[in-house]
């Protein structure tokens, strides 16, 4: 519900590429990025970033962290500053730079490096590559990332080779005087030209196979403020249904607590009938008594709210301490929370104090002074039917909901995820650099086929050798290769499209699918079984 921690977040936009089946892709190839950067230069200033899960090693200990591959203009476009050191500069965009740099998040600096003030200039290894920490970002600016590195350093030789583009997500800031609607209309108008450009770049056989898909592609534009997971534009950080459910439960708790306090104040008001009568006999008007009672209940509510904030702060700290960093939401106890709590306490105090105030306004001075509290039987009856019975009913509803939530949580905690989570050790290795083909040689189709077979044979030999050596270790029961871990947020290099027969006769369905490449024995190692 809070704005993004960047400069003027309402001016930031994302451009995505859409598939014919409606699925959105966050990243796009370099030629598509260059097209938008060139054609929309008068409307928006673009920069690029992309997701990267990596193993970071510092002081001999490795940890899996999430990061982003960014251009040096990324930080300036967002308007964010480091608290230590500097951000990436134009020199870091050059792949030939011999000193790769890395910027880390404030949270990673605190958690992994114990807020070391001398962190700038320190070297760490990311995927076994040495990087120099040049800066620590300000608190709050993290999103889904623990670090930021130049995108060129993470591009493989295959990607930086001409004609084999890298992929990145274009994020831009609208130029002064340019509206979001005008940029969206411009992108829609340029889509046919972009589709034709892509078709012209494809060889005839690929054009015949994927031409229809290219012609039906589209490029939606979104406001950055409307997205909480930029690399997963169709996902939500917190599902809307969960927010509604939690809000309803919290509202029920507040209603029951308020009804409980209102009942206690009404019961206490019965014993204060004589006091109220004396005050009215001494000249206190109805508004004066109402103000006094409302002041008491609001003050009581503010005290409860202050204690509630202290409890909430402790619970949030426990949540952060026992939740993995990649799943922990940023829930700060800031001024917004404080003002919301104050307004909620004042409102609840006014509502709770309204019934005793109305009760006091109806007190008859003569009857109260003459009969004491004997005339309060009607008030007790209204208290029983108007407060206690609805409170018991709401409490039963709340307890039922709470029981369901607790049981669901217990089943989730104890549920088998479908793979082993203990005694599994991950080892990340970097592939050998890709060899660019010799442009002086005239490559025939047969040459390319033989070269691909040789490369595949070398890869098979390497992996087989690794598995044999690892399996020979006495500490290892079994081993296998995989390109991605289960439940990993890392994106695959590309998303294949599958076409299969539909339910209707003669119809076909085309879907995109995430995929992993695994070696023999992977399912046994992970404890996965066929249905």
């Amino acid at each position: 519900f809070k704005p993004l921690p960047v400069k003027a977040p309402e001016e930031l936009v994302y451009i995505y590429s859409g598939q014919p089946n409606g699925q959105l892709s966050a990243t796009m190839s370099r030629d598509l990025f260059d097209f938008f950067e060139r054609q929309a230069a008068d409307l928006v200033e673009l920069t690029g970033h992309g997701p990267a899960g990596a193993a970071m090693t510092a002081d001999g200990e490795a940890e899996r962290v999430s990061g982003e591959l960014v251009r040096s203009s990324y930080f300036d476009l967002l308007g964010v500053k480091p608290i230590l050191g500097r951000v990436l500069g134009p020199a870091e965009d050059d792949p030939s730079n011999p000193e790769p740099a890395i910027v880390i998040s404030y949270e990673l600096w605190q958690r992994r490096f114990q807020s070391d003030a001398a962190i700038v200039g320190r070297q760490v290894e990311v995927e076994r590559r040495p990087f120099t920490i040049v800066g620590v970002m300000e608190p709050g600016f993290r999103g889904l990332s623990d670090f930021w590195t130049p995108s060129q350093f993470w591009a493989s030789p295959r990607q930086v080779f001409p004609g084999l583009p890298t992929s990145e997500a274009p994020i831009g800031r609208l130029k002064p005087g340019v509206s979001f609607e005008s940029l969206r209309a411009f992108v829609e108008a340029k889509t046919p030209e972009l589709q034709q450009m892509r078709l012209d770049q494809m060889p005839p056989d690929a054009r015949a196979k994927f031409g229809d898909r290219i012609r039906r592609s589209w490029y939606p534009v979104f406001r950055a403020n409307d997205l909480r997971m930029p690399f997963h534009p169709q996902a939500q950080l917190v599902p809307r249904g969960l927010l509604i459910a939690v809000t309803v439960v919290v509202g029920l708790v507040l209603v029951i607590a308020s009804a409980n306090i209102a009942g206690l104040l009404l019961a206490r008001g019965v014993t204060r009938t004589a006091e109220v009568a004396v005050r009215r006999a001494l000249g206190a008007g109805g508004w004066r008594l109402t103000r006094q009672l409302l002041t008491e209940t609001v003050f009581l509510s503010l005290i409860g709210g202050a204690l509630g904030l202290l409890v909430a702060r402790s619970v949030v700290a426990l949540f952060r301490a026992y939740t993995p960093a990649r799943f922990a939401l940023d829930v700060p106890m800031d001024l917004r929370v404080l003002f919301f709590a104050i307004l909620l306490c004042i409102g609840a105090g006014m509502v709770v104090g309204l019934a005793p105030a109305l009760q006091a306004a109806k007190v008859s001075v003569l009857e109260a002074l003459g009969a004491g509290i004997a005339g309060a039987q009607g008030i007790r009856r209204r208290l029983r039917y108007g407060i206690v019975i609805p409170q018991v009913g709401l409490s039963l509803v709340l307890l039922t909901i709470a029981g369901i939530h607790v049981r669901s949580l217990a089943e989730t905690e104890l549920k088998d995820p479908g793979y082993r989570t203990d005694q599994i050790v991950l080892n990340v290795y970097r592939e050998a650099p890709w060899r660019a083909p010799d442009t002086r040689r005239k490559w025939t189709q047969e040459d390319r086929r033989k070269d691909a077979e040789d490369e595949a044979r070398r890869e098979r030999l390497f992996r087989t050798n690794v598995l044999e050596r690892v399996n020979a270790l006495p500490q290892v029961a079994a081993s296998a290769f995989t390109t991605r871990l289960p439940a990993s947020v890392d994106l695959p290099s590309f998303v294949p499209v599958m076409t299969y027969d539909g339910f209707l006769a003669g119809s076909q369905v085309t879907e995109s699918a995430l995929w992993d490449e695994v070696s023999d024995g992977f399912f046994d190692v992970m404890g996965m079984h066929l249905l």
Side-chain angles (χ1 to χ4, degrees), residues 407-417:
R407 188 175 65 181
S408 300
L409 180 62
E411 291 181 356
T412 302
E413 291 289 338
L414 300 176
K415 183 177 176 61
D416 181 10

Side-chain angles (χ1 to χ4, degrees), residues 184-230:
R184 174 179 285 177
F186 178 84
V187 172
E188 290 179 359
K190 285 290 183 179
T191 297
E193 179 182 341
L194 179 57
Q195 293 171 345
Q196 189 59 46
M197 182 194 77
R198 295 182 64 187
L199 289 172
D200 294 340
Q201 292 176 345
M202 301 176 71
D205 54 342
R207 190 182 308 132
K209 187 176 182 180
F210 300 107
D212 182 63
R213 182 181 175 190
I214 298 298
R215 294 184 190 95
R216 292 193 293 149
S217 61
W218 50 296
Y219 301 92
V221 183
F222 290 96
R223 298 181 189 272
N225 250 344
D226 297 335
L227 299 167
R228 295 297 168 178
M229 301 183 70

Side-chain angles (χ1 to χ4, degrees), residues 383-458:
L383 175 64
R384 182 168 60 251
Y385 291 110
I387 299 294
V388 176
I389 292 178
Q391 180 183 349
V392 172
L394 285 173
S395 298
L396 287 175
V397 173
L398 180 66
L399 286 173
T400 303
I401 295 175
I404 293 174
H405 276 255
V406 169
R407 188 175 65 181
S408 300
L409 180 62
E411 291 181 356
T412 302
E413 291 289 338
L414 300 176
K415 183 177 176 61
D416 181 10
Y419 55 88
R420 296 184 60 179
T421 57
D422 60 334
Q423 295 182 305
I424 297 292
V425 178
L426 171 68
N427 180 264
V428 181
Y429 81 97
R430 186 172 77 249
E431 293 184 357
W434 178 75
R435 296 177 297 107
D438 187 359
T439 56
R440 296 170 298 179
R441 175 182 172 184
K442 292 184 177 181
W443 286 75
T444 65
Q445 192 68 23
E446 182 66 18
D447 291 336
R448 291 190 176 90
R449 184 184 65 81
K450 289 183 177 180
D451 185 69
E453 288 181 352
D454 291 342
E455 186 176 354
R457 191 179 300 110
R458 288 193 300 270

Side-chain angles (χ1 to χ4, degrees), residues 41 44 73 95 188 190 226 234 252 298 316 375 384 397 409 522:
V44 63
S73 57
E188 290 179 359
K190 285 290 183 179
D226 297 335
Q234 292 170 311
L252 283 174
V298 170
V316 169
R384 182 168 60 251
V397 173
L409 180 62
F522 170 77

Side-chain angles (χ1 to χ4, degrees), residues 471-487:
N471 288 329
L473 297 175
Q475 304 93 335
V476 177
S479 62
F481 278 103
T482 180
T483 55
R484 205 164 61 102
L485 292 176

Side-chain angles (χ1 to χ4, degrees), residues 89-297:
E92 271 94 27
D93 287 334
D94 185 359
S96 63
N97 191 326
E99 298 180 356
I102 184 172
V103 177
I104 63 174
S105 68
Y106 181 84
E107 288 78 7
L108 182 65
W109 177 56
Q110 282 190 318
R111 172 174 53 85
R112 186 65 193 272
F113 301 101
Q114 291 77 47
S115 303
D116 182 9
I119 191 68
V120 176
R122 182 173 172 179
Q123 276 205 343
V124 295
E125 285 189 359
V126 183
E127 295 294 328
R128 298 188 179 180
R129 304 183 186 187
F131 281 80
T132 301
I133 298 177
V134 297
V136 177
M137 292 309 298
E138 57 192 359
F141 179 73
R142 179 191 174 214
L144 304 176
S145 304
D146 287 314
F147 68 87
W148 297 266
T149 63
S151 57
Q152 293 287 5
F153 275 109
W154 287 87
S156 68
R158 182 190 297 271
Q159 290 172 315
V160 298
F161 186 77
L164 297 170
T166 60
S167 297
E168 52 190 347
I171 180 175
R173 183 177 294 278
L174 295 173
K175 294 289 184 70
V178 177
S179 66
F180 173 76
E181 289 72 20
S182 62
L183 176 63
R184 174 179 285 177
F186 178 84
V187 172
E188 290 179 359
K190 285 290 183 179
T191 297
E193 179 182 341
L194 179 57
Q195 293 171 345
Q196 189 59 46
M197 182 194 77
R198 295 182 64 187
L199 289 172
D200 294 340
Q201 292 176 345
M202 301 176 71
D205 54 342
R207 190 182 308 132
K209 187 176 182 180
F210 300 107
D212 182 63
R213 182 181 175 190
I214 298 298
R215 294 184 190 95
R216 292 193 293 149
S217 61
W218 50 296
Y219 301 92
V221 183
F222 290 96
R223 298 181 189 272
N225 250 344
D226 297 335
L227 299 167
R228 295 297 168 178
M229 301 183 70
F231 303 125
H232 304 267
Q234 292 170 311
Q236 292 178 323
L237 196 60
V238 180
R240 189 175 302 275
L242 178 61
L243 281 178
I244 295 174
V246 171
T247 304
V248 169
V249 172
V250 170
L252 283 174
V253 172
L254 180 62
V255 169
I256 293 173
S258 299
N260 188 20
I261 299 299
L264 292 174
L265 292 176
L266 278 174
R268 184 168 177 264
V270 172
T271 64
R272 298 180 64 184
T273 303
E275 175 195 343
V276 171
V278 171
R279 291 182 180 275
R280 295 196 63 175
L282 293 176
W287 174 237
R288 175 67 181 84
L289 291 174
T290 300
R291 280 188 299 167
Q292 176 191 341
L293 295 176
L294 289 180
T295 301
E296 292 176 0
T297 55

